[in-house]
Amino acid sequence: MALQAVSNLFHDQFGTDPSVVSVAPGRVNLIGEHTDYNEGFVFPAAIDRETWVAASLTEGETSVVSLQTGPGHSFFADRVEPGNVHGWARYIAGMAWAFREIGIPVPDAQFAVSSNIPMGSGVSSSAALEMAIGTAWLALMRRTLTPSELAIRGQRCENGFVGVQSGIMDQMASANGRAGQAMFLDTRSLEITYAPIPSEWKIVLLETGKARALTKSAYNERRSACEAVAAKLGAGSLRDVSLEDLEANRDAVGANYPRAKHVVTENIRTLEFVDALRTSDTELVGSLMRESHESLRDDYEVSCPELDAMAEAARITEGGIGARLTGAGFGGACVALVHQDHADQFSETVIRRYQEAIGDTNGYKGNALVCGTVEGARITLSRDAE
Ligand code: GLA
């Protein structure tokens, strides 16, 4: 269906069939939030909300069209620079720029894009676009990078081209995801350990309806605060700061203490969570997710009333194992783990409770998506290979 839709869009726009079609998933992060740019631990899973890209080489400019948002800016791939391209085409131009940065000359191409990843919900629609575009472009160039090398190109696109100082989690999850598994990632070494999600558990994404206002500035500001604490303590990153060190230097650290405390404790929670998931320890999973949410709310200050209301509704609803905000925060969605048999009823009840709690003043309705898990970025059609 999606393959057909994106191929048809390509044909309508460019008058030929695409040479390749790629697909890359969004992700939820089960735990390990705002740790990735501190060389810490994260535990995301790639979900069955995906971005499809149909592509062919062209003699003219690189041009892009999306089924959801229409045409984007055109540009020449071999000379595009940060600031030259605006709107969603930045993510495509930024991938060309990031490939060039490592000496890969990038030919111009035509791209048609279609996605069912909710935007502004904190489930990495931009990383999925980068990974799908990168995968398609590499196939057109007949080059290969490892999924993790491609993820690093995506991060460079965000950092150097789009201007968000994001970590590596989203692109790594979109590039390296596996069906049925969550992905424990050490963001310092980029070593991945997969852990099966218990088959009787479901992931439910609980969208608040409040678009994540990220908020380049707030995100980048959090990152600087973490780096300032690490520097003050003579550490390369907060990964190397223990809770004891932090407590002992609380006065010296000053106003940034709560920010650092979140990161240091979140790393500890993430390690504990991996074991709790492996042993299907519902109680521990629940309490770690709750502590993570509270730490993000109180110490890191990236939650909002809508995310708090959603997490609370999930916490008191039958069938729920644990819930917390997922992604950067500042709006977006919560992730919940739910006993499979209760998933539908849970979704309905949580959204009703969320609406009751939030009231109708701001018009946010909320929405629940029961998610499956899928493989990372891949080529699904290649005419040359036929
Ligand atoms: C965004 C960033 C990630 C990560 C999360 C917070 O999704 O892109 O790198 O920092 O926020 O955990």
Side-chain angles (χ1 to χ4, degrees):
M1 269 287 286
L3 174 65
Q4 197 55 51
V6 80
S7 300
N8 289 348
L9 175 67
F10 188 95
H11 195 276
D12 291 349
Q13 184 75 15
F14 303 116
T16 56
D17 289 328
S19 306
V20 300
V21 178
S22 63
V23 59
R27 63 102 189 90
V28 290
N29 188 21
L30 297 179
I31 199 162
E33 217 66 84
H34 289 281
T35 49
D36 62 350
Y37 49 84
N38 293 295
E39 300 193 338
F41 306 117
V42 296
F43 200 32
I47 55 173
D48 57 359
R49 297 296 186 286
E50 299 180 284
T51 294
W52 296 73
V53 166
S56 289
L57 293 174
T58 181
E59 295 298 320
E61 280 185 303
T62 291
S63 47
V64 300
V65 64
S66 151
L67 197 56
Q68 285 71 38
T69 51
H73 283 184
S74 301
F75 55 88
F76 285 109
D78 63 351
R79 57 187 100 126
V80 73
E81 294 297 337
N84 289 357
V85 175
H86 302 281
W88 67 275
R90 276 175 309 161
Y91 295 102
I92 294 157
M95 287 306 290
W97 177 84
F99 281 140
R100 274 169 31 215
E101 192 182 49
I102 54 166
I104 299 181
V106 185
D108 282 301
Q110 296 165 321
F111 294 108
V113 179
S114 179
S115 181
N116 64 356
I117 304 177
M119 277 191 258
S121 280
V123 287
S124 299
S125 55
S126 55
L129 178 59
E130 291 152 12
M131 294 302 94
I133 288 286
T135 300
W137 231 328
L138 287 170
L140 293 174
M141 295 188 266
R142 296 170 186 277
R143 291 188 83 121
T144 46
L145 289 180
T146 65
S148 299
E149 285 168 341
L150 181 61
I152 294 168
R153 291 302 93 211
Q155 187 192 20
R156 284 297 302 145
C157 163
E158 295 272 350
N159 294 173
F161 202 90
V162 179
V164 181
Q165 297 310 312
S166 50
I168 191 71
M169 165 170 70
D170 305 348
Q171 291 79 8
M172 283 293 283
S174 182
N176 289 293
R178 280 199 193 156
Q181 319 263 323
M183 202 183 109
F184 175 73
L185 172 68
D186 178 336
T187 65
R188 171 181 277 170
S189 64
L190 296 191
E191 193 185 326
I192 295 171
T193 313
Y194 294 96
I197 299 169
S199 56
E200 63 284 6
W201 295 9
K202 279 278 171 204
I203 295 172
V204 180
L205 184 72
L206 299 164
E207 298 178 85
T208 61
K210 180 179 180 185
R212 186 191 48 145
L214 178 125
T215 167
K216 261 195 206 178
S217 55
Y219 184 94
N220 293 351
E221 184 269 332
R222 294 298 185 288
R223 183 172 182 154
S224 309
C226 293
E227 286 166 359
V229 175
K232 182 144 252 163
L233 300 180
S237 72
L238 287 181
R239 162 74 174 273
D240 295 321
V241 174
S242 68
L243 195 51
E244 295 71 35
D245 286 345
L246 185 64
E247 296 299 334
N249 291 287
R250 189 172 174 155
D251 290 344
V253 166
N256 286 330
Y257 167 79
R259 305 284 193 253
K261 180 176 162 225
H262 164 72
V263 174
V264 171
T265 57
E266 184 79 350
N267 275 331
I268 299 169
R269 281 188 289 275
T270 304
L271 291 170
E272 287 179 12
F273 187 98
V274 176
D275 287 337
L277 189 87
R278 282 189 192 285
T279 54
S280 304
D281 185 338
T282 48
E283 221 157 285
L284 190 53
V285 161
S287 61
L288 291 168
M289 289 179 91
R290 183 177 180 175
E291 285 166 26
S292 170
H293 184 89
E294 290 171 354
S295 177
L296 288 159
R297 182 190 66 199
D298 301 335
D299 288 334
Y300 217 62
E301 296 188 85
V302 294
S303 191
C304 60
E306 292 79 10
L307 286 168
D308 295 342
M310 192 67 95
E312 178 60 13
R315 197 182 64 74
I316 61 173
T317 298
E318 193 187 355
I321 296 164
R324 52 179 289 282
L325 75 82
T326 191
F330 314 106
C334 288
V335 57
L337 288 168
V338 183
H339 289 290
Q340 180 168 257
D341 298 345
H342 290 78
D344 292 334
Q345 186 58 46
F346 173 90
S347 301
E348 219 178 290
T349 309
V350 171
I351 295 305
R352 181 172 44 75
R353 288 186 165 145
Y354 170 70
Q355 288 168 356
E356 284 164 8
I358 282 297
D360 51 15
T361 43
N362 57 20
Y364 297 135
K365 297 260 174 283
N367 184 44
L369 288 177
V370 180
C371 299
T373 49
V374 296
E375 298 298 306
R378 59 211 182 268
I379 291 290
T380 59
L381 178 146
S382 172
R383 281 184 209 285
D384 296 345
E386 279 172 0

